[in-house]
Amino acid sequence: MTQTSITPTTTAAATTRRGRWIADWRPEDTEFWEETGAPIARRNLLWSVFAEHLGFSVWLIWSVSSAFLAAQGFAFTPEQLFFLVAIPNLVGSLIRIPYTLAVGKFGGRNWTMISASMLLVPTLLFAYAVTNPATPYWAFCLIAATAGLGGGNFASSMANINFFYPARLKGSALGLNAAGGNLGVSIIQFLLPVIVGGAGIFGLVKASAGGIHLERAAFVYAGLAVCAVLAAFLFMDNLEGAKTDTRSQLAVVRHRHTWVMSFLYIGTFGSFIGYSAAMPLLIKLNFWRQPVPQVPGIGINFAFYAFLGALVGSLARPLGGYLADRVGGAKVTVAAFAGMVLGTLGIVWTLGQLTSFPPPPSADALQAIAADPGSFTYPAAVQNAVDANSSWFPVFLGIFMFIFFCTGIGNGSTYKMIPAIFRKDATRDTAEGTPERELALIEGNKLSSAAVGIIGAVGAIGGFLIPISFNSPWVTDPLASTKAAFWAFTAFYVVCGTVAWAVYLRKRSADTGYVGV
């Protein structure tokens, strides 16, 4: 292997390679960027997206597989299942900070190889657990926690790509990078039911007649993780300019806007990942009934629709970055929160139209149904509730898609704001064209990349809190629990939108240096 060495002149230079480290990187130099930098940046972005995409898929593998555990022979309660899908989000949020710092320590290419190889841990453990009927719930919780390793990939990938692109393109580049990763949520929720034999694709592919085999999905993603390691080794680069010590990176925690943006990111990305994790179970518990796997289910099959929210939110993310590049990230972020308020109010109204299901059969009754499924018929109250709720499902789904769209827009715009804030700091106290300005911009770029990890870590905690909010009251009164949760989400989005407006748009803000970022 060779290293990329770019001669620090005023024009673009030819490159030589030793060790795949780029010694000089000047994306703000227009001539260098157009002749040399852009192709390298695009190549690194492409393979970064691939590795990050797999990380998201592994991170959210439990969001949809949990709904199939009963068919695999595991009798877990709804509370246990919601907690199971929440655990990876908590771990994924906590490890984002060390993953971000690892880019400056080891290099973006090197850390992509390491982090992709670590995806073998949750996938292979998952494959073992679901094929062993004796696996206890606590073991499932531990294995689900290792899936959080995939959540860390996002932070390191975003921190790395942030170094490759000039300020004028950061919103779009980071939006594309994040969207490619976020799509991993939608892809796993779409393909896993098909891979494991649990459902077809809208009649185009039939469900397996041989039952559910969750381990198949784990083996597929373990193989793809190996591919990601090889791709990073062959096609990605490290940047010398991105290397920094941990202490200087952590200085970003003293910047108050790190915490303001973290709070806003809980509202955007935390909502995206939290709703993505909870949506399969929300659909199953409110619109579907199947007491035992041996009896055909009635209502809305979550497997056909659970992936749509993550798909919409992922595709909207680069649009949010694009709009932020042109009109300002703060304006787009405030508009996104306004849309989320309207969306959650719409969900509350729709939930008010649904009919509560009667209590589920007792354990003894379920055993009797499984022993003689041919004699089972759904009680009239259950059938009527399913029919009534199914008629409202298109409204529920449509409003939820609007919420996901707004989360994607907000995700893209907030990540445009982060480098803009630190660039403001760099330009405020230095004169244009001076060496001090150049050094300040380099340091600001390093700090913004560190901030990306911290903000991403705090924001991802929302992915843990949202499923938990649907947790304990489900057994007694699911609809009341869900409506209460969405009322709380609505109030939180109002606060988020107000904070974004007061700090980054209000002209009388005491911190006017950041108005309009």
Side-chain angles (χ1 to χ4, degrees):
M1 287 290 175
T2 56
Q3 178 175 0
T4 301
S5 176
I6 302 176
T7 305
T9 63
T10 58
T11 61
T15 62
T16 58
R17 292 189 170 275
R18 278 199 324 259
R20 301 204 73 104
W21 282 90
I22 297 179
D24 178 52
W25 187 251
R26 292 170 285 115
E28 303 296 343
D29 182 329
T30 303
E31 186 176 356
F32 166 80
W33 174 255
E34 293 178 352
E35 295 185 15
T36 306
I40 297 174
R42 284 195 294 267
R43 172 166 43 77
N44 279 271
L45 174 61
L46 171 65
W47 295 108
S48 175
V49 166
F50 177 59
E52 184 193 351
H53 177 93
L54 296 180
F56 264 95
S57 293
V58 173
W59 191 19
L60 270 293
I61 195 171
W62 289 96
S63 70
V64 63
S65 62
S66 62
F68 285 114
L69 287 177
Q72 192 94 0
F74 298 96
F76 297 144
T77 66
E79 293 108 314
Q80 289 176 313
L81 293 177
F82 271 113
F83 187 68
L84 198 60
V85 302
I87 292 174
N89 293 339
L90 177 62
V91 175
S93 68
L94 295 176
I95 67 170
R96 284 185 166 198
I97 294 176
Y99 266 56
T100 299
L101 302 177
V103 172
K105 184 72 174 178
F106 301 104
R109 165 187 177 259
N110 295 346
W111 185 250
T112 300
M113 293 167 57
I114 295 170
S115 60
S117 65
M118 291 171 68
L119 296 179
L120 294 172
V121 175
T123 51
L124 296 180
L125 286 176
F126 177 96
Y128 171 78
V130 297
T131 54
N132 183 1
T135 304
Y137 177 73
W138 64 264
F140 273 105
C141 290
L142 290 178
I143 295 169
T146 67
L149 293 171
N153 288 19
F154 172 83
S156 56
S157 177
M158 294 292 277
N160 182 42
I161 294 303
N162 183 54
F163 285 108
F164 277 93
Y165 279 83
R168 68 183 185 279
L169 298 177
K170 284 185 186 292
S172 299
L174 293 176
L176 286 171
N177 188 58
N182 292 173
L183 277 171
V185 180
S186 180
I187 294 299
I188 191 68
Q189 292 179 335
F190 179 70
L191 289 182
L192 185 141
V194 180
I195 294 172
V196 305
I201 306 177
F202 296 103
L204 299 179
V205 178
K206 292 184 178 181
S208 171
I212 305 297
H213 298 278
L214 287 172
E215 71 279 3
R216 294 175 183 170
F219 289 134
V220 168
Y221 277 91
L224 290 173
V226 174
C227 294
V229 174
L230 294 175
F233 176 77
L234 294 173
F235 304 118
M236 292 186 70
D237 302 284
N238 301 301
L239 294 180
E240 286 280 0
K243 294 186 70 175
T244 186
D245 63 278
T246 301
R247 178 177 297 180
S248 64
Q249 284 184 290
L250 288 177
V252 76
V253 302
R254 296 193 294 269
H255 199 298
R256 82 179 184 92
H257 286 275
T258 299
W259 302 108
V260 175
M261 292 304 301
S262 295
F263 178 75
L264 299 181
Y265 202 55
I266 292 175
T268 58
F269 180 78
S271 296
F272 168 81
I273 204 67
Y275 291 144
S276 296
M279 192 171 180
L281 286 174
L282 283 174
I283 296 175
K284 182 178 182 180
L285 291 171
N286 284 289
F287 299 95
W288 173 260
R289 275 299 174 268
Q290 186 179 25
V292 293
Q294 294 84 352
V295 172
I298 57 174
I300 304 298
N301 190 337
F302 75 93
F304 293 151
Y305 303 98
F307 74 95
L308 290 174
L311 177 64
V312 171
S314 300
L315 295 179
R317 184 158 189 160
L319 176 60
Y322 173 85
L323 293 173
D325 280 339
R326 279 145 184 80
V327 303
K331 292 179 180 178
V332 178
T333 299
V334 170
F337 281 122
M340 293 166 71
V341 169
L342 292 176
T344 48
L345 288 174
I347 289 292
V348 170
W349 177 82
T350 305
L351 291 172
Q353 314 308 310
L354 300 184
T355 303
S356 295
F357 287 115
S362 65
D364 291 340
L366 290 175
Q367 289 181 357
I369 295 171
D372 187 14
S375 64
F376 174 78
T377 58
Y378 286 95
V382 173
Q383 186 68 60
N384 291 338
V386 167
D387 293 341
N389 290 356
S390 295
S391 67
W392 283 101
F393 180 73
V395 179
F396 174 86
L397 184 66
I399 296 175
F400 229 135
M401 293 307 100
F402 175 72
I403 295 174
F404 271 106
F405 175 80
C406 292
T407 66
I409 293 293
N411 287 339
S413 61
T414 50
Y415 260 63
K416 164 62 178 178
M417 293 171 67
I418 297 168
I421 288 169
F422 286 93
R423 185 174 178 84
K424 288 261 188 180
D425 286 342
T427 58
R428 183 182 308 173
D429 301 324
T430 56
E432 186 175 356
T434 63
E436 290 79 11
R437 167 66 63 83
E438 185 176 352
L439 290 174
L441 288 174
I442 293 173
E443 184 62 23
N445 208 22
K446 292 181 179 180
L447 289 175
S448 70
S449 289
V452 161
I454 294 173
I455 292 167
V458 177
I461 291 176
F464 173 75
L465 296 177
I466 285 180
I468 289 298
S469 69
F470 297 127
N471 190 348
S472 56
W474 268 108
V475 174
T476 56
D477 192 358
L479 284 180
S481 171
T482 311
K483 284 190 284 188
F486 276 102
W487 275 120
F489 301 154
T490 301
F492 178 66
Y493 299 147
V494 170
V495 174
C496 287
T498 302
V499 169
W501 171 80
V503 177
Y504 300 114
L505 287 181
R506 187 167 65 100
K507 298 303 181 182
R508 294 183 180 181
S509 170
D511 199 358
T512 55
Y514 300 98
V515 169
V517 293

